[in-house]
Amino acid sequence: AQSVTQLDSHVSVSEGTPVLLRCNYSSSYSPSLFWYVQHPNKGLQLLLKYTSAATLVKGINGFEAEFKKSETSFHLTKPSAHMSDAAEYFCVVSDPPRSFQKLVFGTGTRLLVSP
Amino acid sequence: NAGVTQTPKFQVLKTGQSMTLQCAQDMNHNSMYWYRQDPGMGLRLIYYSASEGTTDKGEVPNGYNVSRLNKREFSLRLESAAPSQTSVYFCASSETAGAGETQYFGPGTRLLVL
């Protein structure tokens, strides 16, 4: 079965410094991988996704992630944090390819941004 | 274009009461989903509907039923609420249920069962 591990439950950064949110996945197939963001009391919004095209994926709001098969990682980065980036981030892996895609969610990383 | 909408936003129930959570999407998507979110556990799939007229169980279906009323609407029913069903419920939709499809989420319903 597919699984995803988010290595940090909380990450704290200062505004203007780089962001790194770590995610490792387990998959027997070529997975689809996603990062979603959830702002307080809001639904989830897609940041970016990897579906076996370019390994460096660019998303919204300056975020990007690199798929590294050898390390089974899909870490999320941003060069410079903004206060508005404070939210919870979920790494998500897709179940093996079949007629129905089942998403498996990580437990989330809460990003705190201080002035 | 409202995307995915859910009603109600908040609900308090007593144990044993029933209620229906409503979800609608205006993106002409074929597939719809119900998830629950509990602290420290990420989102877990309750039920899904790959296309209009079909529904299937997800990871945690016990205590729930669903109805795909039409292409736009997918409701979740709790027949006899239990405190263990206290959670935040999210509805989502996607164009198809195939691999790599993006799911679009509603704002959630916060449910407290006393």
Side-chain angles (χ1 to χ4, degrees):
Chain A
Q2 316 306 89
S3 66
V4 62
T5 302
Q6 292 186 243
L7 298 167
D8 306 290
S9 59
H10 293 80
V11 170
S12 295
V13 300
S14 299
E15 193 174 21
T17 64
V19 175
L20 170 64
L21 304 183
R22 299 182 294 165
C23 173
N24 287 116
Y25 69 91
S26 170
S27 173
S28 303
Y29 300 82
S30 291
S32 295
L33 291 157
F34 307 78
W35 275 100
Y36 278 86
V37 60
Q38 184 181 27
H39 288 92
N41 300 314
K42 301 288 186 185
L44 281 75
Q45 180 186 18
L46 180 72
L47 275 178
L48 50 81
K49 68 178 180 181
Y50 165 79
T51 55
S52 75
T55 56
L56 183 61
V57 182
K58 294 188 184 299
I60 61 172
N61 300 334
F63 284 94
E64 61 182 40
E66 187 172 6
F67 173 72
K68 291 187 176 180
K69 187 174 181 179
S70 60
E71 299 176 10
T72 61
S73 69
F74 190 57
H75 301 334
L76 182 70
T77 60
K78 183 174 180 178
S80 175
H82 292 169
M83 294 297 292
S84 59
D85 294 329
E88 186 138 24
Y89 292 78
F90 292 94
C91 183
V92 184
V93 65
S94 168
D95 226 5
R98 51 186 178 185
S99 59
F100 166 65
Q101 171 186 244
K102 177 177 177 291
L103 298 184
V104 177
F105 286 76
T107 52
T109 297
R110 185 165 298 278
L111 177 64
L112 307 168
V113 183
S114 56
Chain B
N1 190 335
V4 180
T5 57
Q6 293 182 234
T7 56
K9 289 185 175 154
F10 303 96
Q11 185 71 47
V12 179
L13 291 179
K14 294 180 179 178
T15 297
Q17 287 185 317
S18 62
M19 78 162 295
T20 299
L21 282 66
Q22 305 287 354
C23 173
Q25 52 90 10
D26 62 2
M27 296 174 281
N28 201 35
H29 284 169
N30 291 294
S31 304
M32 298 186 73
Y33 313 82
W34 276 105
Y35 292 90
R36 59 179 288 172
Q37 183 181 30
D38 301 297
M41 297 188 74
L43 274 71
R44 292 180 293 168
L45 183 65
I46 305 171
Y47 270 94
Y48 67 97
S49 171
S51 60
E52 186 179 357
T54 70
T55 60
D56 283 289
K57 295 178 180 179
E59 185 182 355
V60 288
N62 291 344
Y64 305 95
N65 285 299
V66 291
S67 296
R68 183 76 183 265
L69 303 169
N70 48 56
K71 192 172 185 179
R72 290 187 64 247
E73 298 173 289
F74 189 38
S75 63
L76 178 71
R77 182 159 178 84
L78 287 69
E79 291 291 351
S80 178
S84 61
Q85 294 178 305
T86 293
S87 189
V88 182
Y89 291 86
F90 288 100
C91 178
S93 71
S94 61
E95 191 166 340
T96 72
E101 283 286 344
T102 299
Q103 292 186 14
Y104 297 85
F105 287 80
T109 294
R110 281 160 179 74
L111 175 66
L112 173 63
V113 183
L114 301 174

